[in-house]
Amino acid sequence: MAVLQMQRFSICALKENRKAILEELQALGITQIDNSRLPKRKFLKKQDTQDARQLFDKRILQAEHALEVLDEYCPVKSSMLAMFEGKEWLEKEQFDKTVERAPEILKKAAELVALNKEISDKTASIQKMENRIEALAPWMEYDLPINFTGTKLTEVMIGTLPTQMTLDEIKKAIADKESKLDAYEIYIISTETNTVYLAGICLKEEALAFEDALRSIGFARPAQASNETPADLKESLLKQIEQLNTEIEEIKVKIGDYADCRHDFMVVSDYYRTRSDKYQVLGDLPQSKSTFFISGYVPEEAIPLMKERVIEPYEAVLDFQKIKKKEQPPVLLSNNGFSDCVEGVVASFGLPLKGELDPTVITSFFYIVFFGMMLSDAGYGLLLALGCAFLLLKFKHMPSGLKKSIKMFFWGGVSTIVWGILFGGFFGNLLDIVPRIFGNGDWEAYEGAWALWFVPLENPMKLLIWCIIFGLIHLFMGMAIHAWDLCRKKKVWDAIREVGFWMAFLVGLILLLLPTSIMASILGTQIDLPNAVDKLALVLTIVGAIGLLLFTGKKRKPGMRIALGVYEIYGITSWLSDILSYSRLLALGMATGVIASVINQIGTMPGKSVFGFIFFIVVLVIGTLLSLFINTLSAYVHTNRLQYVEFYGKFYEGGSDPFVPFTKETKYIDIKEEKNKWNI
């Protein structure tokens, strides 16, 4: 249970060492910068770094855009396990050498972006041409140029009508509008739903009247214009599209020549990303003509390292300030190699408040035990543990948070193996069903013989009782932690009032309930307690009830205090609900065995044959993988619930902000520098 003690610090140093100090702090990654408590003085100014940051951000975007282009046209093949690989580790000397070529690399990025723009422009042109070809389709029977307007004596016009009309209906409509028109002709080129494509010819002097008559029924000229016929224009457009596609392929080849620059683009992107972060901090530093100030938080254990690497080499002045009573410092957890795997579970609920105990260690024990009990199949646990062990050994540079999560599932798999051995579960009833179906002899006598303890499916009530026992231990542990925390803060009476009376009341009730006929029917046996224990149970129940009734809350008025006490005793119903919540250990544990057994049963349906053996193996593999995924997810979710709702509800509040170090936040590359032992 370790929350690293934080210390608020302030540094005053010469302005000439500002860049070096910031870079050293950023490389160490052991401080969280917070200048809110630095005194404000008129002679202290802050540097405007917005323009510099905008320049860095622009260069980051340029490199990122180049990477996006390469990912689109020259993608890197990655395996299904690529997410576990983490960032590439690079020696600092190699990183620095690449950064020295940043201007050259950015120039190549600009060239790559320009090539991509060419492709975009040509693709847009192709799309426009394809749209034109599509628009030409109804006019393909028209054998005159599209913009042909007629001869010396005649006028030719083409267009569309937005309605379905026959040739006679069109001529009748024209006659109704212009009855004197008779020297004209209409040709229907093609028709579509609610559209008629037509060409009309008339005398030159009657062109206006003719067009006016057509417009009265919705006539509209086409948007396209060309000196070519529709067929010739289509052929011309197709040739242009073919040429553009050829040019695009040539550009793609040129883009492929930049594939070797992918790593350089990543390095440059991360370099300017770290510079942008540094200048953001720089812009928040109070500075005089010759000095600057920086403040924040540092773990007490890291102070010697900060003095060695920052304070002494640059002759800076280091000062520490007392953390105010209401000030909530950032939280950084530090636990042993086993328990740190559930730090993410604790952080998801909320990091400990100032002065609050870190529940990580005790959570890790119950978490792993409950997870294994819910999965409860040695075969599933073996697959889970081996899979996680493979990932941990194969990908040593995976992100820290992901690594801890996989460690958590690894220990959950180990716990599952233990519970599976106790319950006799190995891929369901595989140890029973395989010899019986594919072997010889009478195997009925061996059913359930593999369990070192008992088979849950044969004795679910026994498992339920043990689930309730584990739940009581879990809940009582939460209350004990709460009492210890209060005693640690010298609030002994509060510990007795808030925890002691409740524990006496509950223990007394449990001891009174054990000898009853109800428990005998549940347990299958009558429990007889010594008279001394019966009397002790009665005393504990009475003392606990009176204590809760009289001393709940801090109200001075007796009536109000007793009313609160009655309400507190009524809270026994919530305790019953909490205890019953642990029946999910039974439900999920049995569900795993039932699902696995059903899979085995389906696999054995073809019977004893070569086909039956192959069918059994296929069903077993596919069904087991699906079942393992579903049941592992269920165990994870419901184990979290038991911690968050039942356990933490007894003693833990949480809600602190995490420690966010000023460090080199990179996206692609991890620089091999001296790593601190706090893994920050």
Side-chain angles (χ1 to χ4, degrees), residues 1 97 120 241 335 513 645 663 668:
M1 300 182 184
K97 286 182 180 179
S120 299
I241 290 174
N335 291 280
L513 185 62
V645 179
T663 186
Y668 304 104

Side-chain angles (χ1 to χ4, degrees), residues 398-451:
M398 69 174 67
S400 175
L402 181 59
K403 185 175 184 178
K404 290 179 180 179
S405 297
I406 294 176
K407 280 176 60 180
M408 180 184 69
F409 284 109
F410 169 78
W411 288 114
V414 172
S415 175
T416 302
I417 294 173
V418 174
W419 282 108
I421 293 173
L422 292 175
F423 292 154
F426 186 80
F427 297 110
N429 60 345
L430 187 65
L431 295 177
D432 297 331
I433 203 168
V434 170
R436 188 170 70 248
I437 298 299
F438 298 106
N440 297 314
D442 182 13
W443 291 87
E444 297 295 334
Y446 290 89
E447 288 195 3
W450 312 104

Side-chain angles (χ1 to χ4, degrees), residues 438 602-619:
F438 298 106
I602 293 174
T604 58
M605 290 175 65
K608 296 180 180 181
S609 64
V610 175
F611 171 75
F613 177 76
I614 297 173
F615 182 80
F616 177 77
I617 296 299
V618 172
V619 171

